[in-house]
Structures are given as C-alpha cells and as structure tokens.
Amino acid sequence: MSATSPDSMQEDTPPELWEPPENVRRLVDGWHSVECWVAVLAFGFIATILVLDVFGREFLGPVLRFLGFEPGATGIFASQKLSIFALVIGSFAGIGIATATGAHIVPAFASGWVPPPWRPIYDRAVDLLTGLFLIGVVWFGFKFVGSSFKTDLRAPVLDWPVWPIQLAIPLGFLSAAGRYLIYAAWPLLKPVPPEFQE
C-alpha cells in the first residue's frame, strides 16, 4: 500500500526474493481473466434483461394491444430482481478486479514516514496484514451466507434461496485477500500504483 514503484523495490532486494514462479504468474493472470468474464457477463445480463423488459412493456405490449391482441404481461418477469442478483455478483467480482489492477483506493499517507531502505519490507508487511484482515472479512461473509442457508431465506417474487447469490460477497473478498497474500510473497506481481502509471 505504499507509493514505491516495483522497479525501485527490485533494486533494493536480491532478485531471488522478488521473481515469481511462472505458474504463479499464470494462476494470477487466469484468475483475473475469470473475474473479468464474470463481471462482463453479469453487467451484460443486466443491460440485456432491462432493455428487453422496457421494450416489451413500452413498445411490444402497446403495439399488440393496438392491433387488437391481448398479450398479457409483456415485460420480463422479475427482471429487476434478477438484475439485482447480477449486480451483486458483478460488483463483488469487481473487488478482485480492482485489487488486480491497482484501481482501488489505497491509503498511503504513512508510506512517506518509512525510510527508503525499509520500504520493501514495509510494503510486504502491509500486503500481508491487508490479506489477513480480508480473511477475517471473508469469515464473517461466510457466517452471513451460512445464516441465510440455515434459515432458508428466500428472495421475494422469485422464491429462490438467496445464499447462492450471497456467496459472491465472501468470494469477492477472498479473491482480494488471496491477491494481497500473493503480493506479499511476490511483490513483482503487484500492479503498478496509479502515480507510476503512464
């Protein structure tokens, strides 16, 4: 969580401590691709279902009624509820995406207090502590999902159990936690902070 560039970190530390194994790099890249696809599909689903719902209610229904037909409901049943479910999934996939791209807000005010020779150790310690903190958040997230499962909490209108959708919450934080732990082990995999991006 500091403003130190990866290049300067690498200069201060032996290369063998920084270079990640190729299989770890592939894992992180594949992990990021999966999350991006989940987010794209979730938000694409939202856009599609809402456009079709509005089209059915505001255009298709009136046209069929004008032609003398009684089509009944022309919107998509529970489209707004389905959109909220997709929004939850896409949003919590976004936590991992933001961590992977360095697009999240990072408080780095204390980084300037750390002497430059100690900055690499400080950065790794911050990543480790952030990862451990997020694991605590994940634990509470799974407790939340577990309570919905035990009480068989169901969504209004659709009458679906909500715990499968709620799983996106702890899984999103678990993704971020895993990335921070990987960054603590292999800092070269950490995205370049925005102030060093061109």
PDB file of all heavy atoms in Angstrom, residues 61-85:
ATOM      1  N   GLY A  61     -46.012  -4.455 -26.027  1.00  0.00           N
ATOM      2  CA  GLY A  61     -47.359  -4.540 -25.455  1.00  0.00           C
ATOM      3  C   GLY A  61     -48.327  -3.561 -26.082  1.00  0.00           C
ATOM      4  O   GLY A  61     -49.412  -3.960 -26.558  1.00  0.00           O
ATOM      5  N   PRO A  62     -47.989  -2.265 -26.118  1.00  0.00           N
ATOM      6  CA  PRO A  62     -48.916  -1.307 -26.745  1.00  0.00           C
ATOM      7  C   PRO A  62     -49.204  -1.601 -28.218  1.00  0.00           C
ATOM      8  O   PRO A  62     -50.336  -1.422 -28.681  1.00  0.00           O
ATOM      9  CB  PRO A  62     -48.186   0.031 -26.588  1.00  0.00           C
ATOM     10  CG  PRO A  62     -47.321  -0.152 -25.384  1.00  0.00           C
ATOM     11  CD  PRO A  62     -46.901  -1.591 -25.429  1.00  0.00           C
ATOM     12  N   VAL A  63     -48.190  -2.050 -28.964  1.00  0.00           N
ATOM     13  CA  VAL A  63     -48.413  -2.353 -30.387  1.00  0.00           C
ATOM     14  C   VAL A  63     -49.390  -3.515 -30.531  1.00  0.00           C
ATOM     15  O   VAL A  63     -50.323  -3.473 -31.349  1.00  0.00           O
ATOM     16  CB  VAL A  63     -47.073  -2.651 -31.099  1.00  0.00           C
ATOM     17  CG1 VAL A  63     -47.305  -3.277 -32.467  1.00  0.00           C
ATOM     18  CG2 VAL A  63     -46.241  -1.385 -31.229  1.00  0.00           C
ATOM     19  N   LEU A  64     -49.199  -4.581 -29.738  1.00  0.00           N
ATOM     20  CA  LEU A  64     -50.112  -5.735 -29.825  1.00  0.00           C
ATOM     21  C   LEU A  64     -51.528  -5.363 -29.396  1.00  0.00           C
ATOM     22  O   LEU A  64     -52.508  -5.813 -30.006  1.00  0.00           O
ATOM     23  CB  LEU A  64     -49.573  -6.886 -28.965  1.00  0.00           C
ATOM     24  CG  LEU A  64     -48.300  -7.563 -29.486  1.00  0.00           C
ATOM     25  CD1 LEU A  64     -47.794  -8.592 -28.492  1.00  0.00           C
ATOM     26  CD2 LEU A  64     -48.545  -8.218 -30.846  1.00  0.00           C
ATOM     27  N   ARG A  65     -51.639  -4.526 -28.388  1.00  0.00           N
ATOM     28  CA  ARG A  65     -52.976  -4.084 -27.958  1.00  0.00           C
ATOM     29  C   ARG A  65     -53.636  -3.217 -29.038  1.00  0.00           C
ATOM     30  O   ARG A  65     -54.841  -3.301 -29.265  1.00  0.00           O
ATOM     31  CB  ARG A  65     -52.871  -3.325 -26.629  1.00  0.00           C
ATOM     32  CG  ARG A  65     -52.591  -4.237 -25.454  1.00  0.00           C
ATOM     33  CD  ARG A  65     -52.593  -3.513 -24.108  1.00  0.00           C
ATOM     34  NE  ARG A  65     -52.063  -4.391 -23.090  1.00  0.00           N
ATOM     35  CZ  ARG A  65     -50.809  -4.422 -22.701  1.00  0.00           C
ATOM     36  NH1 ARG A  65     -49.929  -3.600 -23.243  1.00  0.00           N
ATOM     37  NH2 ARG A  65     -50.418  -5.270 -21.774  1.00  0.00           N
ATOM     38  N   PHE A  66     -52.828  -2.384 -29.682  1.00  0.00           N
ATOM     39  CA  PHE A  66     -53.352  -1.544 -30.769  1.00  0.00           C
ATOM     40  C   PHE A  66     -53.870  -2.408 -31.917  1.00  0.00           C
ATOM     41  O   PHE A  66     -54.867  -2.081 -32.571  1.00  0.00           O
ATOM     42  CB  PHE A  66     -52.248  -0.607 -31.269  1.00  0.00           C
ATOM     43  CG  PHE A  66     -52.661   0.246 -32.435  1.00  0.00           C
ATOM     44  CD1 PHE A  66     -53.483   1.352 -32.246  1.00  0.00           C
ATOM     45  CD2 PHE A  66     -52.243  -0.074 -33.729  1.00  0.00           C
ATOM     46  CE1 PHE A  66     -53.874   2.130 -33.334  1.00  0.00           C
ATOM     47  CE2 PHE A  66     -52.637   0.698 -34.810  1.00  0.00           C
ATOM     48  CZ  PHE A  66     -53.448   1.800 -34.617  1.00  0.00           C
ATOM     49  N   LEU A  67     -53.200  -3.547 -32.159  1.00  0.00           N
ATOM     50  CA  LEU A  67     -53.617  -4.453 -33.235  1.00  0.00           C
ATOM     51  C   LEU A  67     -54.782  -5.349 -32.823  1.00  0.00           C
ATOM     52  O   LEU A  67     -55.245  -6.170 -33.616  1.00  0.00           O
ATOM     53  CB  LEU A  67     -52.434  -5.313 -33.687  1.00  0.00           C
ATOM     54  CG  LEU A  67     -51.282  -4.545 -34.356  1.00  0.00           C
ATOM     55  CD1 LEU A  67     -50.104  -5.469 -34.625  1.00  0.00           C
ATOM     56  CD2 LEU A  67     -51.755  -3.884 -35.646  1.00  0.00           C
ATOM     57  N   GLY A  68     -55.249  -5.217 -31.577  1.00  0.00           N
ATOM     58  CA  GLY A  68     -56.415  -5.981 -31.147  1.00  0.00           C
ATOM     59  C   GLY A  68     -56.103  -7.235 -30.365  1.00  0.00           C
ATOM     60  O   GLY A  68     -57.011  -8.004 -30.044  1.00  0.00           O
ATOM     61  N   PHE A  69     -54.872  -7.478 -30.062  1.00  0.00           N
ATOM     62  CA  PHE A  69     -54.498  -8.656 -29.273  1.00  0.00           C
ATOM     63  C   PHE A  69     -54.391  -8.269 -27.803  1.00  0.00           C
ATOM     64  O   PHE A  69     -54.085  -7.132 -27.459  1.00  0.00           O
ATOM     65  CB  PHE A  69     -53.150  -9.218 -29.739  1.00  0.00           C
ATOM     66  CG  PHE A  69     -53.158  -9.675 -31.167  1.00  0.00           C
ATOM     67  CD1 PHE A  69     -52.595  -8.885 -32.166  1.00  0.00           C
ATOM     68  CD2 PHE A  69     -53.726 -10.893 -31.519  1.00  0.00           C
ATOM     69  CE1 PHE A  69     -52.591  -9.294 -33.485  1.00  0.00           C
ATOM     70  CE2 PHE A  69     -53.730 -11.309 -32.833  1.00  0.00           C
ATOM     71  CZ  PHE A  69     -53.156 -10.514 -33.829  1.00  0.00           C
ATOM     72  N   GLU A  70     -54.622  -9.230 -26.934  1.00  0.00           N
ATOM     73  CA  GLU A  70     -54.396  -9.007 -25.507  1.00  0.00           C
ATOM     74  C   GLU A  70     -53.233  -9.894 -25.074  1.00  0.00           C
ATOM     75  O   GLU A  70     -53.414 -11.079 -24.757  1.00  0.00           O
ATOM     76  CB  GLU A  70     -55.655  -9.330 -24.698  1.00  0.00           C
ATOM     77  CG  GLU A  70     -55.523  -9.029 -23.215  1.00  0.00           C
ATOM     78  CD  GLU A  70     -54.893  -7.668 -22.927  1.00  0.00           C
ATOM     79  OE1 GLU A  70     -55.397  -6.638 -23.425  1.00  0.00           O
ATOM     80  OE2 GLU A  70     -53.877  -7.625 -22.211  1.00  0.00           O
ATOM     81  N   PRO A  71     -52.001  -9.364 -25.113  1.00  0.00           N
ATOM     82  CA  PRO A  71     -50.828 -10.203 -24.871  1.00  0.00           C
ATOM     83  C   PRO A  71     -50.578 -10.534 -23.399  1.00  0.00           C
ATOM     84  O   PRO A  71     -49.740 -11.378 -23.088  1.00  0.00           O
ATOM     85  CB  PRO A  71     -49.684  -9.340 -25.420  1.00  0.00           C
ATOM     86  CG  PRO A  71     -50.153  -7.935 -25.232  1.00  0.00           C
ATOM     87  CD  PRO A  71     -51.654  -7.976 -25.407  1.00  0.00           C
ATOM     88  N   GLY A  72     -51.282  -9.878 -22.491  1.00  0.00           N
ATOM     89  CA  GLY A  72     -50.972 -10.085 -21.074  1.00  0.00           C
ATOM     90  C   GLY A  72     -49.714  -9.295 -20.717  1.00  0.00           C
ATOM     91  O   GLY A  72     -49.422  -8.260 -21.318  1.00  0.00           O
ATOM     92  N   ALA A  73     -48.958  -9.805 -19.760  1.00  0.00           N
ATOM     93  CA  ALA A  73     -47.722  -9.114 -19.349  1.00  0.00           C
ATOM     94  C   ALA A  73     -46.683  -9.262 -20.453  1.00  0.00           C
ATOM     95  O   ALA A  73     -46.385 -10.369 -20.891  1.00  0.00           O
ATOM     96  CB  ALA A  73     -47.197  -9.703 -18.055  1.00  0.00           C
ATOM     97  N   THR A  74     -46.163  -8.149 -20.916  1.00  0.00           N
ATOM     98  CA  THR A  74     -45.165  -8.200 -21.996  1.00  0.00           C
ATOM     99  C   THR A  74     -43.755  -7.905 -21.506  1.00  0.00           C
ATOM    100  O   THR A  74     -42.806  -8.002 -22.275  1.00  0.00           O
ATOM    101  CB  THR A  74     -45.529  -7.203 -23.110  1.00  0.00           C
ATOM    102  OG1 THR A  74     -45.749  -5.918 -22.516  1.00  0.00           O
ATOM    103  CG2 THR A  74     -46.772  -7.654 -23.845  1.00  0.00           C
ATOM    104  N   GLY A  75     -43.616  -7.525 -20.254  1.00  0.00           N
ATOM    105  CA  GLY A  75     -42.284  -7.350 -19.690  1.00  0.00           C
ATOM    106  C   GLY A  75     -41.711  -8.693 -19.275  1.00  0.00           C
ATOM    107  O   GLY A  75     -42.362  -9.733 -19.387  1.00  0.00           O
ATOM    108  N   ILE A  76     -40.492  -8.690 -18.813  1.00  0.00           N
ATOM    109  CA  ILE A  76     -39.854  -9.921 -18.355  1.00  0.00           C
ATOM    110  C   ILE A  76     -40.108 -10.078 -16.857  1.00  0.00           C
ATOM    111  O   ILE A  76     -39.847  -9.163 -16.074  1.00  0.00           O
ATOM    112  CB  ILE A  76     -38.343  -9.898 -18.657  1.00  0.00           C
ATOM    113  CG1 ILE A  76     -38.137  -9.857 -20.171  1.00  0.00           C
ATOM    114  CG2 ILE A  76     -37.649 -11.112 -18.052  1.00  0.00           C
ATOM    115  CD1 ILE A  76     -36.699  -9.734 -20.590  1.00  0.00           C
ATOM    116  N   PHE A  77     -40.631 -11.235 -16.476  1.00  0.00           N
ATOM    117  CA  PHE A  77     -40.981 -11.488 -15.089  1.00  0.00           C
ATOM    118  C   PHE A  77     -39.754 -11.338 -14.176  1.00  0.00           C
ATOM    119  O   PHE A  77     -38.693 -11.905 -14.439  1.00  0.00           O
ATOM    120  CB  PHE A  77     -41.567 -12.899 -14.953  1.00  0.00           C
ATOM    121  CG  PHE A  77     -41.845 -13.307 -13.533  1.00  0.00           C
ATOM    122  CD1 PHE A  77     -42.876 -12.715 -12.825  1.00  0.00           C
ATOM    123  CD2 PHE A  77     -41.061 -14.260 -12.909  1.00  0.00           C
ATOM    124  CE1 PHE A  77     -43.143 -13.082 -11.513  1.00  0.00           C
ATOM    125  CE2 PHE A  77     -41.318 -14.632 -11.597  1.00  0.00           C
ATOM    126  CZ  PHE A  77     -42.359 -14.042 -10.900  1.00  0.00           C
ATOM    127  N   ALA A  78     -39.888 -10.555 -13.136  1.00  0.00           N
ATOM    128  CA  ALA A  78     -38.865 -10.362 -12.100  1.00  0.00           C
ATOM    129  C   ALA A  78     -37.546  -9.833 -12.662  1.00  0.00           C
ATOM    130  O   ALA A  78     -36.475 -10.125 -12.134  1.00  0.00           O
ATOM    131  CB  ALA A  78     -38.630 -11.659 -11.333  1.00  0.00           C
ATOM    132  N   SER A  79     -37.632  -9.040 -13.724  1.00  0.00           N
ATOM    133  CA  SER A  79     -36.393  -8.551 -14.348  1.00  0.00           C
ATOM    134  C   SER A  79     -35.569  -7.702 -13.384  1.00  0.00           C
ATOM    135  O   SER A  79     -34.332  -7.784 -13.363  1.00  0.00           O
ATOM    136  CB  SER A  79     -36.711  -7.751 -15.613  1.00  0.00           C
ATOM    137  OG  SER A  79     -37.500  -6.615 -15.284  1.00  0.00           O
ATOM    138  N   GLN A  80     -36.228  -6.889 -12.567  1.00  0.00           N
ATOM    139  CA  GLN A  80     -35.481  -6.037 -11.637  1.00  0.00           C
ATOM    140  C   GLN A  80     -34.805  -6.858 -10.552  1.00  0.00           C
ATOM    141  O   GLN A  80     -33.670  -6.587 -10.169  1.00  0.00           O
ATOM    142  CB  GLN A  80     -36.410  -4.984 -11.036  1.00  0.00           C
ATOM    143  CG  GLN A  80     -36.895  -3.988 -12.071  1.00  0.00           C
ATOM    144  CD  GLN A  80     -37.796  -2.915 -11.488  1.00  0.00           C
ATOM    145  OE1 GLN A  80     -38.192  -2.991 -10.340  1.00  0.00           O
ATOM    146  NE2 GLN A  80     -38.131  -1.924 -12.302  1.00  0.00           N
ATOM    147  N   LYS A  81     -35.500  -7.887 -10.062  1.00  0.00           N
ATOM    148  CA  LYS A  81     -34.907  -8.756  -9.036  1.00  0.00           C
ATOM    149  C   LYS A  81     -33.716  -9.513  -9.615  1.00  0.00           C
ATOM    150  O   LYS A  81     -32.662  -9.631  -8.978  1.00  0.00           O
ATOM    151  CB  LYS A  81     -35.960  -9.721  -8.508  1.00  0.00           C
ATOM    152  CG  LYS A  81     -35.506 -10.583  -7.358  1.00  0.00           C
ATOM    153  CD  LYS A  81     -35.148  -9.789  -6.126  1.00  0.00           C
ATOM    154  CE  LYS A  81     -36.320  -9.097  -5.512  1.00  0.00           C
ATOM    155  NZ  LYS A  81     -35.953  -8.393  -4.257  1.00  0.00           N
ATOM    156  N   LEU A  82     -33.860 -10.037 -10.837  1.00  0.00           N
ATOM    157  CA  LEU A  82     -32.756 -10.737 -11.498  1.00  0.00           C
ATOM    158  C   LEU A  82     -31.575  -9.794 -11.728  1.00  0.00           C
ATOM    159  O   LEU A  82     -30.415 -10.189 -11.592  1.00  0.00           O
ATOM    160  CB  LEU A  82     -33.227 -11.339 -12.821  1.00  0.00           C
ATOM    161  CG  LEU A  82     -34.233 -12.490 -12.715  1.00  0.00           C
ATOM    162  CD1 LEU A  82     -34.813 -12.816 -14.083  1.00  0.00           C
ATOM    163  CD2 LEU A  82     -33.578 -13.718 -12.099  1.00  0.00           C
ATOM    164  N   SER A  83     -31.877  -8.540 -12.052  1.00  0.00           N
ATOM    165  CA  SER A  83     -30.819  -7.551 -12.256  1.00  0.00           C
ATOM    166  C   SER A  83     -30.056  -7.275 -10.963  1.00  0.00           C
ATOM    167  O   SER A  83     -28.838  -7.117 -10.975  1.00  0.00           O
ATOM    168  CB  SER A  83     -31.406  -6.245 -12.792  1.00  0.00           C
ATOM    169  OG  SER A  83     -31.992  -6.448 -14.041  1.00  0.00           O
ATOM    170  N   ILE A  84     -30.777  -7.237  -9.845  1.00  0.00           N
ATOM    171  CA  ILE A  84     -30.110  -7.019  -8.559  1.00  0.00           C
ATOM    172  C   ILE A  84     -29.189  -8.189  -8.238  1.00  0.00           C
ATOM    173  O   ILE A  84     -28.060  -7.996  -7.764  1.00  0.00           O
ATOM    174  CB  ILE A  84     -31.156  -6.811  -7.444  1.00  0.00           C
ATOM    175  CG1 ILE A  84     -31.847  -5.463  -7.644  1.00  0.00           C
ATOM    176  CG2 ILE A  84     -30.521  -6.902  -6.060  1.00  0.00           C
ATOM    177  CD1 ILE A  84     -33.035  -5.224  -6.740  1.00  0.00           C
ATOM    178  N   PHE A  85     -29.642  -9.410  -8.512  1.00  0.00           N
ATOM    179  CA  PHE A  85     -28.779 -10.577  -8.284  1.00  0.00           C
ATOM    180  C   PHE A  85     -27.506 -10.478  -9.120  1.00  0.00           C
ATOM    181  O   PHE A  85     -26.401 -10.718  -8.631  1.00  0.00           O
ATOM    182  CB  PHE A  85     -29.526 -11.869  -8.642  1.00  0.00           C
ATOM    183  CG  PHE A  85     -30.596 -12.255  -7.667  1.00  0.00           C
ATOM    184  CD1 PHE A  85     -31.511 -13.242  -7.989  1.00  0.00           C
ATOM    185  CD2 PHE A  85     -30.710 -11.643  -6.431  1.00  0.00           C
ATOM    186  CE1 PHE A  85     -32.503 -13.616  -7.099  1.00  0.00           C
ATOM    187  CE2 PHE A  85     -31.698 -12.004  -5.523  1.00  0.00           C
ATOM    188  CZ  PHE A  85     -32.598 -12.999  -5.862  1.00  0.00           C
TER     189      PHE A  85
END
